[in-house]
Amino acid sequence: MLQQEQVHALAANGVLANAKAETIQPCQYSFAVDNFDDAISLAQTFTEVVLGVLPVAQGLFAADGGDEVGLVPIVGSIIGQEGEQVGYYRSIQNKVASSAPLLTGGAPQFAFTAISQFIIPGSCPNLEAIGLTAFPALTITSTPEAMNSTQQFSIEEEILLREAIPLRIFLDRICLSWFRSRMSRQMVA
């Protein structure tokens, strides 16, 4: 899969270069996992976040019928390949290959926020070229339980209203992901 991801990076930078835009230089990352099972679970989650953003990119490329419309099939092929990866990760964990009948969409800020937590600070030569900022860190102010309950989160920074709706959806996904993991553990036990 490493080679597939390298091809994705080359393709993305090729698209940027073709559009006479600044290409994205590689960063260094640190993934806080110390065993195979956690690494596969993290890879699955990360890939699912990326899958949520790719259809949004397709829509943006196709919206005005301009030069970017040719990118729609390329992104579609990446969606298919990333879906295969998620299915593989899920099968390793003895899960059904597909978690849902349709992909859950997401905003680019979600993927960037997810990636940002793994970037080694100062290791990206031109991170600003991406043009996104990560959502502020969340603090869980209530203890999640495996039952219907209200969870409370807080942030220390102010966010703009246009960022609040995607942040709310992001929080919903965190809660749903946590609940699903708890339920799958209970079903296995």
Side-chain angles (χ1 to χ4, degrees), residues 154-167:
S154 67
I155 57 172
E156 292 188 21
E157 301 174 35
E158 289 186 29
I159 61 171
L160 301 174
L161 181 59
R162 65 181 155 82
E163 296 173 331
I165 293 170
L167 181 60

Side-chain angles (χ1 to χ4, degrees), residues 33 35-48 89-90 92-93 95 177 181 185:
V33 293
N35 63 69
F36 181 77
D37 292 339
D38 288 349
I40 294 298
S41 179
L42 178 61
Q44 175 194 334
T45 301
F46 184 81
T47 306
E48 287 173 338
Y89 295 143
R90 291 179 60 80
I92 288 174
Q93 299 171 82
K95 297 178 181 177
S177 176
S181 71
R185 287 183 196 152

Side-chain angles (χ1 to χ4, degrees), residues 4 22 30 40 76 86 89 99 118 121 141 146 149 157 174 186 189:
Q4 292 173 352
E22 184 176 1
S30 176
I40 294 298
V86 169
Y89 295 143
S99 63
F118 304 113
T141 59
S149 61
E157 301 174 35
I174 291 171
Q186 290 175 357

Side-chain angles (χ1 to χ4, degrees), residues 97-152:
S98 176
S99 63
L102 301 171
L103 293 175
T104 301
Q109 294 88 343
F110 294 145
F112 187 73
T113 298
I115 292 167
S116 295
Q117 65 183 321
F118 304 113
I119 295 173
I120 295 173
S123 72
C124 297
N126 66 341
L127 190 61
E128 71 286 345
I130 294 172
L132 296 170
T133 56
F135 290 124
L138 296 174
T139 302
I140 299 174
T141 59
S142 61
T143 305
E145 299 178 29
M147 58 184 238
N148 286 344
S149 61
T150 300
Q151 303 309 309
Q152 296 179 357

Side-chain angles (χ1 to χ4, degrees), residues 14 41 50 57 63 81 84-85 137-138 170-171 185:
S41 179
V50 170
Q81 194 280 325
E84 289 175 347
Q85 281 186 10
L138 296 174
F170 185 62
L171 290 173
R185 287 183 196 152

